Amino acid sequence: MTITDVARHAGVSTAAVSKVMRNAYGVSAAMQEKVRAAMAELDYRPHAAARGMRGRTYTIGILLDNIRNTFFADILDGVRDELRDSEYTVLIGAAGFDAEVQDKTIRSMVDRQMDGLVLIAPGIQRAEVLSTAQSTPTVVIGHHDSSDLHDSVVDADGSGAGLVVDHLVSLGHRNIALVSSPGTRSSRWARTPEIVLGNGYAEAMGRHHLAEHTQICRTSYSDEGGYKAGMSLLTAGNRPTAIMTGADVAALGVWRAAHELGLRVPEDVSLVGYNNTAIADLATVQLTSVDQAGHNMGATAARLLIERVEGRRDHAVQTTMTPRLVVRGSTSAPSSG
């Protein structure tokens, strides 16, 4: 079955079929429907390799580090929904936290002629991302460093941290700790999410005249990382009465540590997550968390990427999501005891 067969079946030109397949700008809804109906009736499937030789493979590569971070599922859902009615296929590279493996994964995606890349908080050198973006349309999610070479989708992480501190202070907390990712200094990203979040936390603590209580514990955004941070913070002499984490998955690890130590959430320690993933709203969890619109971030990243892939825009943009605090049962006033 060929594109000519599809055109003949739909009663249109081969050029029209090609435009629909490329999702070209300006194709009418009626033409889209007619051609796609013909493709479905003929069970026509364009050959990816042949497409690649013509300059496009209709594949999008997504890089992420940790498949256990449920926030990434929200982002992927947004990408999927945005591309649902297009010809593009999404391929995921779960590369882990190692920068060399991430770099290898990105190079493999480029070698396979993927049309564009979405990099979720990449841990590789910024220079490597900029080099890749010169030849392959790229969207970076998370990092606040802007560039003329790639698009960016970020959350206002500084404001998000401020929302948490304001909420906890309003409940009467003063000794508030932050659990954050260590990041990678050698990657040369100046404004990663953890840096912006940490700065926002410190600024908010200072605004409330609590700078002397500022305490940041660095760990990986995982259940095990949160557990280790929780054990460290909750066995310290000056135990915090409230802990905020940069990811819900880490908050659950802190919760596990508190449980092992015989501490209750929120009676003995208030706990706040970040990302507002589905697990935060489980009846047995009810975790207060910052919602940074993961689905919207993914959908926006996909839309920006396709605009660049299809030549509808030739300049880079940075889109910022506005966070909101979702208050649940894991935070309350500190106990008088």
Side-chain angles (χ1 to χ4, degrees), residues 104-164:
K104 179 181 178 181
T105 301
I106 291 173
R107 283 188 278 108
S108 294
M109 290 176 171
V110 173
D111 290 344
R112 284 163 175 75
Q113 296 182 297
M114 294 190 182
D115 295 326
L117 304 176
V118 176
L119 310 180
I120 304 177
I124 68 170
Q125 290 268 349
R126 183 169 186 243
E128 293 296 329
V129 172
L130 296 180
S131 177
T132 298
Q134 286 183 314
S135 59
T136 304
T138 300
V139 178
V140 175
I141 295 180
H143 295 340
H144 293 249
D145 305 62
S146 59
S147 170
D148 292 335
L149 297 176
H150 64 75
D151 295 324
S152 304
V153 179
V154 302
D155 180 62
D157 295 304
S159 299
L163 291 174
V164 175

Side-chain angles (χ1 to χ4, degrees), residues 55-88:
R56 192 172 304 173
T57 61
Y58 292 86
T59 54
I60 301 299
I62 299 185
L63 177 86
L64 50 84
D65 54 36
N66 180 13
I67 59 174
R68 299 185 187 280
N69 189 335
T70 52
F71 177 58
F72 294 160
D74 293 342
I75 293 176
L76 293 174
D77 281 348
V79 172
R80 178 203 62 197
D81 289 347
E82 180 68 21
L83 299 180
R84 186 189 301 277
D85 296 326
S86 76
E87 290 294 307
Y88 292 93

Side-chain angles (χ1 to χ4, degrees), residues 86-98:
S86 76
E87 290 294 307
Y88 292 93
T89 297
V90 173
L91 300 177
I92 299 171
F97 295 100
D98 186 87

